[in-house]
């Protein structure tokens, strides 16, 4: 029997070059098989021939297996559809070798499948190039594309000279206010740099017999506290550049300051922490004595309920609002604890960093005093700051890398490592919008880095005032 006769008998339109001998014919009785395919001869209702191609060498699209696109039901199971296609047509269905390579083939996937479509005629067809392309690429409505890693610029976008910025691990000479003004202690003077205009203002000069050891803005950003070499704590009106208060009490330099909503805490080389209340006339309202060496780290929790302090005695202490004794004594660090940061995302979560002999960032649950995690950073930890926009934190380091590192929490995977300072990065502050950090070092430079995403990119956030270096605008 020749191929033409076979074609008339079975109703099959054979591709060119294929003979009848290559066909496998199976006969089915009417009782066991009722043909619904247009492949059977219309003149014979009692018997039908079925063509079984060899998929490894044939071209499926030439046999008209797809007559009409099946509409996708609302709420249909796409994963089940893909599995069904794989079982019916094989895992190699849709590959370029089966499709014949022709650009006009209705089943040929586009080589640039994720960039443009090659067939717009049947967008709802489950075999359309767009859907097929997503299957080949591992993307579908039922699976989420892998999230791209956020890129952090490796170079600072602004560098400012900061002559006389001291290379002293125990001082805190840089702070950025909520009103977008940067305060920097340089020698005996404090300078204000307005980020929106780049205007520089000399706030004060303490004179030849004193020096600036710490600066800290109030949370509202209107008043700046200054700790001095002689142990004083001064409060200045940053808007009017006027001193409003001077408080004594420390015997020697005041190297660290921390504001809560109403209380200003100061830590000194005399090992004491003084609590100041500007609403009363006394220099201080209480004294916290718990450290055995200089207090160099001090931070209030975001809810004002707890105060964390770190010292050169390698201790991390936690105090509550009313106690005269620490409620927690955390002694796992083996070097001075200057770097302290409270998480803005979880109450009672505290991070601390140790000096050269320790090099670790440790995480604590202050509710029960347990250490949650410890990460060896490989170098002296000088500062920590937690992002308010995302659950990440930044650390600055000294010996021997002098780098800046951005971490994801709680995995502590590294997002970025930034370098540029030639000496240890002792000073760190964050912009009001939470996107930019400024770092300072004994190399007498201030460097500005864009490290965190904006609040606007996060889900379910409210409108906020956005400050940016060089200009101020409302989004």
């Amino acid at each position: 029997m020749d191929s033409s006769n076979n074609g008339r008998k079975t109703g099959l339109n054979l591709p060119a070059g294929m003979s009848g001998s290559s066909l496998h014919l199976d006969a089915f009785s009417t009782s066991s098989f009722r043909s619904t395919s247009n492949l059977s001869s219309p003149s014979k209702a009692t018997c039908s021939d079925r063509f079984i191609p060899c998929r490894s060498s044939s071209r499926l699209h030439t046999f008209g297996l797809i007559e009409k696109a099946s509409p996708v039901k609302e709420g249909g199971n796409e994963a089940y559809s893909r599995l069904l296609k794989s079982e019916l047509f094989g895992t190699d269905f849709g590959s370029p070798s089966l499709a014949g390579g022709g650009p006009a083939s209705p089943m040929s996937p586009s080589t640039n499948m994720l960039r443009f479509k090659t067939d717009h005629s049947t967008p709802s067809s489950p075999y359309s190039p767009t859907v097929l392309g997503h299957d080949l690429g591992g993307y579908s409505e039922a699976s989420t594309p892998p999230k791209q890693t956020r890129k952090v610029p490796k170079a600072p976008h602004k560098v400012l000279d900061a002559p006389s910025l001291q290379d002293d691990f125990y001082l805190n000479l840089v702070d950025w206010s909520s009103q977008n003004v940067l305060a920097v202690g340089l020698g005996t003077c404090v300078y204000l740099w307005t980020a929106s205009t780049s205007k520089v203002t000399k706030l004060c000069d303490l004179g030849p017999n004193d020096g600036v050891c710490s600066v800290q803005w109030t949370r509202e950003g209107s008043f700046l506290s200054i700790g001095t070499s002689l142990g004083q704590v001064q409060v200045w009106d940053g808007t009017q550049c006027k001193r409003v208060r001077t408080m004594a009490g420390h015997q020697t330099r005041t190297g660290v300051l921390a504001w809560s909503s109403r209380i200003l805490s100061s830590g000194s080389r005399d090992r004491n922490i003084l609590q100041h209340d500007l609403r009363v006339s006394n220099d201080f309202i209480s004294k916290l004595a718990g450290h055995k060496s200089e207090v160099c780290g001090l931070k209030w929790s975001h809810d004002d309920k707890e105060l964390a302090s770190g010292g050169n005695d390698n201790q991390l202490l936690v105090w509550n609002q009313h106690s005269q004794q620490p409620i927690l004594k955390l002694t796992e660090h083996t070097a001075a604890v200057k770097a302290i940061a409270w998480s803005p995302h979880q109450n009672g979560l505290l991070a601390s960093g140790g000096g050269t002999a320790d090099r670790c960032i440790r995480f604590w649950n202050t509710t029960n005093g347990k250490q949650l995690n410890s990460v060896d950073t490989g170098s002296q930890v000088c500062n920590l700051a937690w992002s308010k926009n995302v659950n990440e934190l930044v650390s600055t380091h000294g010996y021997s890398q002098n780098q800046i590192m951005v971490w994801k929490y709680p995995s502590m995977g590294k997002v970025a490592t930034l370098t540029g300072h030639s000496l240890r990065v002792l000073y760190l502050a964050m912009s009001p919008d939470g996107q930019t950090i400024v770092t300072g070092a004994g190399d007498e430079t201030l460097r500005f880095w864009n490290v965190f995403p904006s609040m606007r990119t996060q889900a379910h956030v409210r409108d906020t005032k956005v400050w940016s270096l060089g200009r101020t605008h409302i989004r």
Side-chain angles (χ1 to χ4, degrees):
M1 181 184 297
D2 59 19
S3 60
S4 61
N5 291 335
N6 182 53
R8 289 191 299 271
K9 193 167 186 178
T10 63
L12 291 174
N13 295 322
L14 297 179
M18 181 175 288
S19 65
S21 60
S22 64
L23 302 179
H24 301 277
L25 302 178
D26 292 325
F28 295 84
S29 65
T30 307
S31 60
S32 63
F33 177 79
R34 179 172 296 174
S35 174
T36 57
S37 170
N38 63 356
L39 298 178
S40 62
S41 173
S43 61
K44 296 189 178 183
T46 60
C47 183
S48 174
D49 294 325
R50 184 178 61 172
F51 170 66
I52 305 176
C54 179
R55 290 176 182 151
S56 62
S57 61
S58 61
R59 295 172 294 174
L60 294 178
H61 70 277
T62 62
F63 295 96
L65 294 179
I66 306 170
E67 282 190 351
K68 186 177 181 181
S70 301
V72 179
K73 295 181 181 180
E74 247 180 73
N77 192 328
E78 291 294 327
Y80 176 79
S81 299
R82 292 195 304 276
L83 178 61
L84 185 61
K85 281 192 294 181
S86 175
E87 291 296 326
L88 289 177
F89 299 105
T91 57
D92 56 351
F93 174 69
S95 65
S97 61
L98 296 181
S105 172
M107 298 181 68
S108 174
S110 168
T111 55
N112 294 318
M113 61 188 70
L114 300 179
R115 300 179 64 181
F116 59 89
K117 297 180 181 179
T118 57
D119 185 6
H120 301 277
S121 58
T122 57
S124 62
S125 171
Y127 307 108
S128 63
T130 302
V131 177
L132 186 62
H134 281 286
D135 287 345
L136 292 175
Y139 299 93
S140 68
E141 293 179 2
S143 62
T144 304
K147 188 176 180 180
Q148 293 185 352
T149 304
R150 174 166 51 84
K151 293 183 179 180
V152 177
K154 296 294 184 181
H157 64 83
K158 185 185 290 290
V159 179
L160 298 180
D161 289 327
S164 301
L165 186 61
Q166 296 188 57
D167 184 25
D168 192 325
F169 178 80
Y170 301 98
L171 305 186
N172 295 270
L173 297 175
V174 177
D175 194 34
W176 205 332
S177 80
S178 60
Q179 296 188 10
N180 211 25
V181 178
L182 189 70
V184 185
L186 301 177
T188 64
C189 302
V190 174
Y191 290 88
L192 305 182
W193 182 79
T194 304
S196 57
T197 62
S198 296
K199 179 183 177 182
V200 178
T201 304
K202 184 177 180 180
L203 178 68
C204 65
D205 188 341
L206 301 181
N209 299 322
D210 207 348
V212 180
C213 295
S214 55
V215 294
Q216 183 73 38
W217 289 99
T218 59
R219 292 181 179 177
E220 296 77 16
S222 302
F223 295 91
L224 178 72
S225 57
I226 301 172
T228 76
S229 298
L230 298 179
Q232 291 184 341
V233 176
Q234 300 182 5
V235 179
W236 289 72
D237 185 330
T239 304
Q240 301 182 11
C241 295
K242 180 180 179 181
R243 186 173 61 185
V244 296
R245 187 79 182 266
T246 300
M247 295 170 286
H250 288 298
Q251 304 301 314
T252 183
R253 71 178 185 182
T254 306
V256 62
L257 299 164
W259 283 95
S260 70
S261 298
R262 297 175 295 177
I263 301 299
L264 170 61
S265 301
S266 60
S268 171
R269 182 181 273 179
D270 65 12
R271 304 175 295 180
N272 294 322
I273 300 170
L274 298 182
Q275 306 281 54
H276 311 271
D277 190 338
L278 271 64
R279 297 169 298 180
V280 301
S281 58
N282 296 339
D283 286 335
F284 58 93
I285 58 175
S286 64
K287 178 187 294 186
L288 306 180
H291 286 284
K292 300 175 182 178
S293 187
E294 180 171 9
V295 181
C296 52
L298 209 56
K299 287 289 175 64
W300 278 97
S301 62
H302 298 280
D303 58 7
D304 291 346
K305 292 182 178 180
E306 294 177 319
L307 175 68
S309 63
N312 197 30
D313 55 2
N314 308 345
Q315 289 192 104
L316 175 66
L317 306 181
V318 179
W319 317 73
N320 65 22
Q321 292 171 304
H322 309 292
S323 66
Q324 298 298 310
Q325 297 295 324
I327 58 174
L328 287 177
K329 289 186 177 182
L330 308 173
T331 59
E332 278 76 1
H333 283 291
T334 57
V337 182
K338 177 191 178 185
I340 298 173
W342 291 92
S343 170
H345 310 287
Q346 182 178 340
N347 288 335
L349 178 56
L350 177 65
S352 60
T356 308
D358 183 83
R359 306 176 305 179
C360 291
I361 300 175
R362 302 178 189 270
F363 297 89
W364 312 88
N365 181 347
T366 60
T367 303
N368 55 25
K370 291 184 178 180
Q371 179 174 281
L372 303 175
N373 193 11
S374 176
V375 178
D376 190 339
T377 66
S379 56
Q380 177 188 43
V381 184
C382 301
N383 278 288
L384 288 170
W386 220 298
S387 169
K388 61 183 179 181
N389 298 345
V390 289
N391 201 9
E392 297 176 1
L393 68 160
V394 59
S395 59
T396 67
H397 299 269
Y399 307 122
S400 58
Q401 302 296 324
N402 303 327
Q403 78 271 48
I404 301 147
M405 304 179 74
V406 183
W407 311 80
K408 282 186 176 295
Y409 187 83
S411 68
M412 291 307 288
K414 292 181 185 178
V415 178
T417 300
L418 310 174
T419 57
H421 286 288
S422 59
L423 294 176
R424 52 187 180 169
V425 189
L426 296 176
Y427 309 111
L428 171 68
M430 189 175 296
S431 64
D433 65 0
Q435 298 181 60
T436 303
I437 62 169
V438 58
T439 57
D443 58 12
E444 298 186 338
T445 64
L446 295 173
R447 297 171 185 263
F448 296 81
W449 315 77
N450 288 324
V451 295
F452 295 119
S454 66
M455 182 73 78
R456 185 173 292 276
T457 63
Q458 308 307 310
H460 309 297
V461 295
R462 59 183 181 273
D463 291 336
T464 183
K465 179 179 288 188
V466 178
W467 303 87
S468 63
L469 292 172
R471 64 185 186 278
T472 305
H473 58 281
I474 305 295
R475 286 183 182 175

